[in-house]
Amino acid sequence: MTIGKMSWQPQYRSSKYRHVFGKPASKESCYDCVPITRSVHDNHFCAVNPNFIAVVTECAGGGAFLVIPLQQTGKLDAHYPKVCGHRGNVLDIKWNPFDDFVIASCSEDASVKIWDIPKQFLTKSLTNARKELLGHSRRVGLIEWHPTANNILLSTAYDYKIMIWNLDNDEPVIYSPVRTIDCHKDVIVSMSFNTDGSLLATSCKDRKIRIIDPRQGIVVQESNSKSHKASKVLFLGNINRLVSTGTSRWNNRQIALWDQDDLSVPLHQEDLDGSSGLLFPFFDSDTNMLYVVGKGDGNIRYYEVSPQKPFLHYLNEYRSYLPQKGIGVMPKRGIDVSSCEVFRFFKLVTIKSLIEPVSMIVPRRSESYQEDIYPMTAGTQPSLTANEWLIGLNRGPILISLRPGSKHSTGTSISQAELYEAETKVVTKEPKHALEEKPKTKTLWEIEYKTEIIREERGTKRISGAAQETKTPLISNGFDRFECAPPKTENELLQMFYKQQEEIRRLRDQLSQRDIQIRQLELEIKNVRNSAASY
């Protein structure tokens, strides 16, 4: 009788991330009264970098999105300026990974636009894009920046085509992409680059996963699994693996792990639940953690990925009663290393018009920088030019350290925070600076005189406004027929609409400023009289 040798496996697997937990932001650190889009398109609707949070919004007369400074939490003004130049609903937005002030958007109007966000932040609605890409014949549903090459953008539309655009030129309108990939027979629902951008993974409405050489436009691998219907796909860093989310044969929500070199059979499949909401996968290549976010529910599951069996190790689940319609993710260079934060989500909660940050924290007792959970990560420096990548060169991302004060660490978020404090005048729900600034001490006569002047000015404005209303024969819909011709095209009408919205917002701000000044001066009069009476 022979006794076979048994390999001993430890009962518990050691991991630095076993006790990672999700920590929602306090109410003061959320973004409230945000008019989040009600579109049913299966996208994130949110893009984040260390300076801004961009979110697709509802807008009359076309498509628009908001760009909110990251520090501007709390209630958002109802007339906050928008980025609005599309003639149809905006379906996807993505920040340039190498420039925090450049964002791309795509729309139902079959166009892709590149926007320059001013460093002084938006004080009025932005309607003129730096570049417009016109090549698709139907609505554009997805865009993706190249991870290492500068000024390379991919777009895919309902014409089943993927177009590669080279933005490295001065032309304001580009009509022809540098390459068109036409190997899909249905709508493409997700795209993902590998680490150096040499391969592109796609998932399609035909439920298949394809790995494509984007420069040659040929399919390298194609899945044909009947047990897993893929909807979203994602490359998993440098471990030659892909993850896909979708449904099983019995319509349970499911995640599957694939070998990059062989898509015939998934390496691992795991059923999650019977809900119908889409699953969005996110991967942190620095910690090898996979996050799975359900659309329409408030849960975020997270796993640790290993190159050996069983490949996926379930860690925990963040639960919330607030359902997310979309979600944004902060790049690693923007997280808070002082609190041992390793990932940060921004949940779009439509039912409350709320954007809620959720931080994933590694519990540590020490308050010093934890080098073992913060390896070198991708920075803001591209490793290739657009032309170098197009002729066939491949390079990995240029890495930086997240250690505070490090020579190679990114200082973007710090410098822009200083810029925010020093240079900007951000539109808030109430202009607080009028209350916070303490005026110099004035005499009672000066205060009363100034109050009378303000009241007289307001009375004069009301009288002139009434006179202007009566003098309407030469004015139609706010346009002087002798000075400015009425808009003739739809685009001119749209531009004029946004200008009028901006003017209304500015006048309301002025009016609220005057009311605050009057209240402040009346309080000063009362204080001076009380102090005079006491003497």
Side-chain angles (χ1 to χ4, degrees):
M1 182 178 174
T2 58
I3 300 173
K5 292 182 179 178
M6 295 179 65
S7 60
W8 179 81
Q9 292 288 337
Q11 189 176 359
Y12 297 103
R13 189 181 58 88
S14 63
S15 171
K16 290 177 282 192
Y17 309 108
R18 176 177 298 178
H19 302 292
V20 168
F21 65 95
K23 181 182 178 183
S26 61
K27 190 176 180 181
E28 296 76 23
S29 300
C30 293
Y31 305 82
D32 204 359
C33 300
V34 181
I36 301 165
T37 180
R38 299 190 180 275
S39 169
V40 295
H41 198 71
D42 288 331
N43 264 350
H44 298 154
F45 298 122
C46 182
V48 187
N49 68 25
N51 296 295
F52 298 107
I53 175 168
V55 58
V56 180
T57 184
E58 293 290 323
C59 179
F65 59 95
L66 298 167
V67 176
I68 309 167
L70 205 68
Q71 301 91 341
Q72 191 184 332
T73 54
K75 288 188 177 180
L76 194 72
D77 182 20
H79 299 280
Y80 189 85
K82 299 178 176 69
V83 181
C84 43
H86 286 286
R87 295 183 301 279
N89 290 332
V90 174
L91 299 181
D92 197 14
I93 47 176
K94 294 279 169 65
W95 288 105
N96 188 333
F98 311 118
D99 190 339
D100 286 348
F101 296 92
V102 174
I103 190 169
S105 63
C106 64
S107 166
E108 288 182 349
D109 63 9
S111 71
V112 180
K113 295 194 177 189
I114 313 298
W115 306 87
D116 286 329
I117 305 301
K119 294 193 177 182
Q120 289 76 24
F121 308 119
L122 287 175
T123 54
K124 62 180 181 178
S125 291
L126 187 63
T127 56
N128 295 320
R130 172 161 60 93
K131 283 186 188 297
E132 190 170 7
L133 315 179
L134 301 173
H136 289 286
S137 58
R138 298 184 66 187
R139 55 180 174 170
V140 186
L142 278 172
I143 46 178
E144 198 71 47
W145 291 94
H146 194 280
T148 60
N150 198 20
N151 287 325
I152 292 287
L153 182 74
L154 269 67
S155 64
T156 179
Y158 280 64
D159 55 10
Y160 310 157
K161 294 176 182 176
I162 299 174
M163 294 187 177
I164 303 176
W165 304 89
N166 181 3
L167 310 180
D168 214 355
N169 57 55
D170 297 327
E171 296 174 15
V173 182
I174 304 175
Y175 293 98
S176 55
V178 292
R179 177 163 297 283
T180 300
I181 302 169
D182 192 4
C183 60
H184 297 81
K185 304 301 180 188
D186 210 331
V187 178
I188 300 148
V189 291
S190 76
M191 296 189 294
S192 172
F193 274 111
N194 65 346
T195 306
D196 62 4
S198 60
L199 293 174
L200 178 73
T202 65
S203 61
C204 183
K205 277 202 171 177
D206 61 9
R207 302 297 193 173
K208 292 182 180 179
I209 298 170
R210 293 171 178 86
I211 296 179
I212 300 166
D213 184 332
R215 284 169 292 207
Q216 296 182 20
I218 58 172
V219 178
V220 180
Q221 290 281 332
E222 184 176 322
S223 73
N224 197 18
S225 174
K226 294 181 180 178
S227 62
H228 177 77
K229 301 171 187 175
S231 56
K232 298 289 180 183
V233 66
L234 189 68
F235 268 105
L236 298 181
N238 293 314
I239 59 176
N240 290 336
R241 299 280 187 270
L242 288 96
V243 70
S244 66
T245 60
T247 56
S248 69
R249 193 177 293 171
W250 296 276
N251 282 335
N252 289 325
R253 292 202 294 189
Q254 188 182 62
I255 55 176
L257 204 68
W258 305 81
D259 186 347
Q260 178 181 311
D261 302 319
D262 182 13
L263 298 183
S264 57
V265 179
L267 295 172
H268 178 79
Q269 290 177 211
E270 187 170 321
D271 285 10
L272 300 184
D273 53 41
S275 299
S276 58
L278 197 70
L279 292 172
F280 294 117
F282 297 93
F283 184 67
D284 180 4
S285 56
D286 298 338
T287 61
N288 281 344
M289 285 181 66
L290 172 69
Y291 301 87
V292 181
V293 181
K295 183 177 180 179
D297 54 59
N299 301 350
I300 302 173
R301 297 174 176 88
Y302 40 103
Y303 303 78
E304 195 170 357
V305 182
S306 64
Q308 296 86 25
K309 285 185 178 181
F311 305 114
L312 277 181
H313 304 276
Y314 175 77
L315 294 174
N316 210 334
E317 181 177 3
Y318 167 77
R319 295 187 179 185
S320 168
Y321 69 92
L322 295 175
Q324 57 246 359
K325 181 184 180 62
I327 201 148
V329 171
M330 174 67 75
K332 260 335 240 312
R333 55 193 174 86
I335 63 173
D336 182 13
V337 297
S338 63
S339 63
C340 295
E341 182 185 41
V342 290
F343 217 70
R344 192 189 308 165
F345 293 98
F346 289 79
K347 292 176 50 174
L348 305 186
V349 185
T350 314
I351 58 171
K352 290 199 168 187
S353 299
L354 183 76
I355 304 176
E356 181 189 40
V358 177
S359 299
M360 309 307 293
I361 308 287
V362 178
R364 293 282 174 95
R365 290 184 180 178
S366 174
E367 294 180 0
S368 61
Y369 176 72
Q370 306 292 306
E371 192 137 13
D372 60 323
I373 61 173
Y374 297 117
M376 300 284 279
T377 191
T380 56
Q381 188 71 27
S383 52
L384 290 167
T385 64
N387 290 326
E388 284 175 337
W389 182 76
L390 289 169
I391 62 173
L393 290 178
N394 292 319
R395 287 197 196 110
I398 295 175
L399 304 179
I400 58 169
S401 169
L402 295 178
R403 179 186 288 275
S406 170
K407 183 181 175 183
H408 301 290
S409 68
T410 176
T412 309
S413 57
I414 299 168
S415 63
Q416 294 309 326
E418 290 169 357
L419 185 70
Y420 176 85
E421 296 288 338
E423 297 182 10
T424 63
K425 292 180 181 178
V426 181
V427 181
T428 53
K429 189 73 177 174
E430 292 183 358
K432 296 180 182 176
H433 58 275
L435 291 170
E436 288 170 358
E437 289 179 5
K438 285 193 174 181
K440 294 177 183 177
T441 308
K442 303 179 184 71
T443 64
L444 181 63
W445 179 85
E446 287 175 333
I447 293 168
E448 289 179 339
Y449 179 70
K450 193 169 181 182
T451 308
E452 286 302 315
I453 287 174
I454 290 172
R455 282 180 176 149
E456 281 176 15
E457 281 180 2
R458 292 185 68 180
T460 309
K461 282 187 179 178
R462 284 199 191 101
I463 292 165
S464 64
Q468 202 70 9
E469 284 176 10
T470 56
K471 196 182 87 178
T472 51
L474 300 178
I475 295 177
S476 174
N477 292 330
F479 294 102
D480 192 332
R481 292 174 185 172
F482 293 106
E483 289 183 7
C484 175
K488 296 177 182 177
T489 66
E490 183 185 348
N491 197 26
E492 285 179 8
L493 184 64
L494 195 62
Q495 297 277 349
M496 202 58 67
F497 169 75
Y498 292 135
K499 283 180 182 175
Q500 284 186 348
Q501 290 284 93
E502 185 62 35
E503 183 67 17
I504 290 167
R505 185 189 63 78
R506 189 180 62 78
L507 290 171
R508 281 182 177 169
D509 286 347
Q510 285 183 355
L511 194 62
S512 62
Q513 289 276 11
R514 287 294 173 91
D515 289 338
I516 288 169
Q517 284 180 8
I518 287 173
R519 283 202 302 270
Q520 200 173 15
L521 290 168
E522 285 173 346
L523 283 170
E524 285 185 16
I525 290 170
K526 196 178 286 184
N527 290 336
V528 170
R529 281 176 176 164
N530 289 339
S531 60
S534 64
Y535 286 113

